[in-house]
Amino acid sequence: MHADDVFKALADPTRRRLLDLLYEQNGQTLGQLCEHLDMTRQSATQHLGILEAANLVSTVRRGREKLHFINPVPLHEVYERWVRKFEQQRLSLLHDLKKELEGE
């Protein structure tokens, strides 16, 4: 996993918006994605290129169309490496607090 590429891609709000759009409806064309963005197709293409380089988006050609699909694997890897370990301790503390408050 190239976590630096994933974090760089996620650092931009436009790229996060593109991922949100693909989460809502996977397999969209550039034109469909641009309908929801206030930018040129060229700018959107550059953002999609960064997402592709981070392996967060993959494409499939269907005739003359290029469909964009979200790839959740790098996000899951970031979650497993960076989020989960911090979440585990917090949840354990909340569980212990609940037991304490309930007198168990």
Side-chain angles (χ1 to χ4, degrees), residues 94-104:
L94 287 174
H95 177 72
D96 293 345
L97 178 62
K98 178 183 180 282
K99 285 174 51 176
E100 175 98 14
L101 292 173
E102 292 176 350
E104 294 180 16

Side-chain angles (χ1 to χ4, degrees), residues 28-37 41 48 66 68:
Q28 294 186 62
T29 64
L30 177 61
Q32 290 171 316
L33 292 167
C34 285
E35 290 174 8
H36 304 282
L37 302 171
R41 290 172 64 93
L48 286 167
K66 185 176 179 182
H68 299 84

Side-chain angles (χ1 to χ4, degrees), residues 46-82:
Q46 290 174 342
H47 285 291
L48 286 167
I50 292 169
L51 290 170
E52 285 183 62
N55 201 27
L56 291 166
V57 169
S58 61
T59 60
V60 173
R61 288 226 175 252
R62 185 178 68 192
R64 292 178 41 193
E65 293 182 318
K66 185 176 179 182
L67 304 176
H68 299 84
F69 293 89
I70 193 168
N71 178 12
V73 173
L75 292 173
H76 180 71
E77 290 173 348
V78 165
Y79 170 80
E80 286 293 320
R81 170 66 176 94
W82 292 101

Side-chain angles (χ1 to χ4, degrees), residues 6-46:
V6 174
F7 283 115
K8 176 185 173 188
L10 295 175
D12 186 273
T14 299
R15 293 191 284 271
R16 291 192 305 269
R17 176 73 177 131
L18 284 165
L19 291 174
D20 287 339
L21 291 169
L22 291 173
Y23 176 78
E24 292 169 12
Q25 181 185 341
N26 218 0
Q28 294 186 62
T29 64
L30 177 61
Q32 290 171 316
L33 292 167
C34 285
E35 290 174 8
H36 304 282
L37 302 171
D38 188 26
M39 65 177 49
T40 65
R41 290 172 64 93
Q42 183 179 0
S43 294
T45 299
Q46 290 174 342

